[in-house]
Amino acid sequence: MAEPTSIDGLLAEGQRQIAICNGCRYCEGYCAVFPAMERLPVVGAGDLTYLANLCHDCRACYQACMYAPPHPFGVEIPKLMSEARERSYSEFARPRWFARWFTAGPRAVAALTLAGALVFAFLAWAAGRARGIFAPTESTRTFFDVIPYGLMLVPSLLLTAFLLAVIVWGFIDFQRASRGASHLGARVWLSGLAEVATLRWMRGGGDDCYYPAIERSSPLRRRFHHLTAYGFLAALVSTSLASFYHNVLDLPAPYPVLHPVVLFGLVGGIGMTVGTTGLLWLKARAAPLQARREALLNSSFLVSLNLASTSGLFLLALRDTPAMGALLVLHLGTIVALYVTAPYGKFVHIVYRTAAVLRSAAERAADEAAGGRSAREPAALGRPASTRLP
């Protein structure tokens, strides 16, 4: 007999609300979640995990629902999915006792940033270059004059290996529990990844998110999300290019402003800073339809990413000044905090949501193969008027 999971505690309420949704079917054209609900004759804990990570929290269903509070049925799909999503982050965090340390909100981010900065300051001291942090001389011209390349590279590789190992471990367990699709054709991969890349299901019924205000739709959340995600990818490209130039072409930093390494870093940093600032601004004004724990994890991740990108931009702007050493140590501290907390918070939604969208794409492809366009296929985006009671 399978061990009970934290998501099992939500199962009875989830089954109740999903049964009402399947009886109504008013929202089936809004997103992939409602057709996926209809494919489930019996909803188990793994199914609820799948649906929760397929949900993009656009809140169009809540805005339209005639059974939302104050109706006695009390259907609140965004909040139900948020609670299940947060529990899935905890359920599949590996090892779990690490998660208790690193999910204490902005306090954990601040403590880890300080600890990371102190570690790199110690490494600079051990290399006999501590003076480069606060009192640089004329010979302190590059990052590696403060912290030698090897002492910067090895901790970075260890952190990256830790991040990837924990995420892959959790993903395997998530995929097993949610019965994710294992054999995907090229068409499913293409359509699923296109939906992820364009955030198709964040558009709700075509009017974009009802976020932060539940009374009117807005594209701001989707646009800030794009800036954050693609800014992060641009920063990864910058880091990879820097490694290529240093290790393969034997051309170490610093690079001029118009160098590809700097340009990708600059675009990525600006994108992440603007995107995360905008998302935090929206979050502070959003209707309280999110589980408190998930809201805390989201804010922590956004703050951590914002600190890393903003400190990186300051480091780039002031790299030729006496502040370079101190800013370098601080920036590396923010990277430590980001990498250590990422597998236990909002960052993992990138992996779990991609797996859920791919399963949805596979199910829709199977429906089509069985009999043409299924009634369960989300309709062309377009939403009827709200039926919600005042």
Side-chain angles (χ1 to χ4, degrees):
M1 186 174 178
E3 291 288 327
T5 69
S6 59
I7 300 170
D8 287 328
L10 274 179
L11 195 52
E13 177 61 15
Q15 290 170 335
R16 184 188 74 82
Q17 294 196 31
I18 289 170
I20 295 171
C21 288
N22 281 341
C24 173
R25 300 180 62 178
Y26 185 84
C27 300
E28 67 177 16
Y30 281 13
C31 69
V33 172
F34 294 93
M37 286 180 181
E38 293 171 33
R39 295 186 186 94
L40 298 169
V42 178
V43 179
D47 300 316
L48 189 55
T49 300
Y50 159 57
L51 295 173
N53 284 281
L54 186 58
C55 170
H56 286 54
D57 195 25
C58 76
R59 305 183 175 188
C61 60
Y62 181 84
Q63 196 275 339
C65 184
M66 69 184 82
Y67 300 122
H71 192 282
F73 285 3
V75 174
E76 292 183 279
I77 293 299
K79 191 168 187 178
L80 170 70
M81 295 301 164
S82 174
E83 291 179 357
R85 209 162 38 240
E86 182 275 317
R87 294 188 189 200
S88 72
Y89 299 162
S90 302
E91 187 66 33
F92 304 111
R94 299 291 186 271
R96 287 180 188 166
W97 52 274
F98 262 33
R100 288 195 291 271
W101 293 0
F102 302 144
T103 55
R107 286 177 302 169
V109 173
L112 286 167
T113 297
L114 178 61
L118 289 174
V119 167
F120 279 102
F122 172 79
L123 292 176
W125 172 80
R129 303 181 185 182
R131 189 173 179 182
I133 298 176
F134 297 110
T137 63
E138 289 187 358
S139 62
T140 308
R141 297 176 179 174
T142 73
F143 299 160
F144 306 136
D145 293 330
V146 179
I147 302 173
Y149 179 71
L151 292 181
M152 206 183 300
L153 177 66
V154 171
S156 301
L157 290 178
L158 290 174
L159 282 171
T160 303
F162 166 78
L163 174 68
L164 293 177
V166 173
I167 287 180
V168 169
W169 188 0
F171 169 74
I172 292 172
D173 286 345
F174 171 86
Q175 188 80 343
R176 186 182 297 125
S178 64
R179 296 185 289 113
S182 56
H183 301 291
L184 305 174
R187 183 184 169 196
V188 170
W189 273 107
L190 287 174
S191 62
L193 292 180
E195 290 168 3
V196 172
T198 60
L199 292 175
R200 178 186 179 191
W201 304 120
M202 197 177 276
R203 295 177 66 89
D207 292 340
D208 267 307
C209 288
Y210 284 77
Y211 190 105
I214 200 66
E215 297 83 11
R216 63 179 181 278
S217 61
S218 167
L220 282 178
R221 179 166 172 256
R222 182 169 50 82
R223 290 173 180 171
F224 285 137
H225 200 291
H226 274 312
L227 281 172
T228 303
Y230 288 108
F232 185 78
L233 289 178
L236 280 182
V237 171
S238 173
T239 304
S240 302
L241 277 177
S243 178
F244 176 77
Y245 274 93
H246 188 104
N247 295 299
V248 179
L249 302 182
D250 196 23
L251 294 172
Y255 306 108
V257 172
L258 295 181
H259 193 279
V261 170
V262 178
L263 290 176
F264 271 106
L266 185 62
V267 170
I270 292 173
M272 284 192 289
T273 298
V274 174
T276 53
T277 302
L279 289 172
L280 286 167
W281 175 70
L282 290 178
K283 192 171 290 295
R285 288 157 178 76
L289 291 177
Q290 193 173 39
R292 290 183 60 185
R293 180 70 176 162
E294 192 192 24
L296 178 67
L297 293 178
N298 288 0
S299 297
S300 298
F301 173 63
L302 291 173
V303 167
S304 183
L305 202 54
N306 187 282
L307 289 175
S309 59
T310 304
S311 62
L313 290 175
F314 272 107
L315 179 59
L316 176 62
L318 301 175
R319 62 179 176 172
D320 296 324
T321 73
M324 182 267 284
L327 282 172
L328 174 63
V329 169
L330 175 64
H331 177 62
L332 292 173
T334 66
I335 299 298
V336 169
L338 178 64
Y339 273 52
V340 171
T341 58
Y344 304 105
K346 182 67 176 178
F347 184 83
V348 294
H349 88 289
I350 299 170
V351 181
Y352 297 170
R353 181 161 290 161
T354 299
V357 170
L358 286 172
R359 174 180 164 181
S360 169
E363 290 176 347
R364 282 178 274 135
D367 285 348
E368 285 186 15
R373 183 188 179 282
S374 168
R376 298 187 183 105
E377 173 78 15
L381 293 179
R383 58 187 303 278
S386 171
T387 60
R388 194 172 173 214
L389 296 176

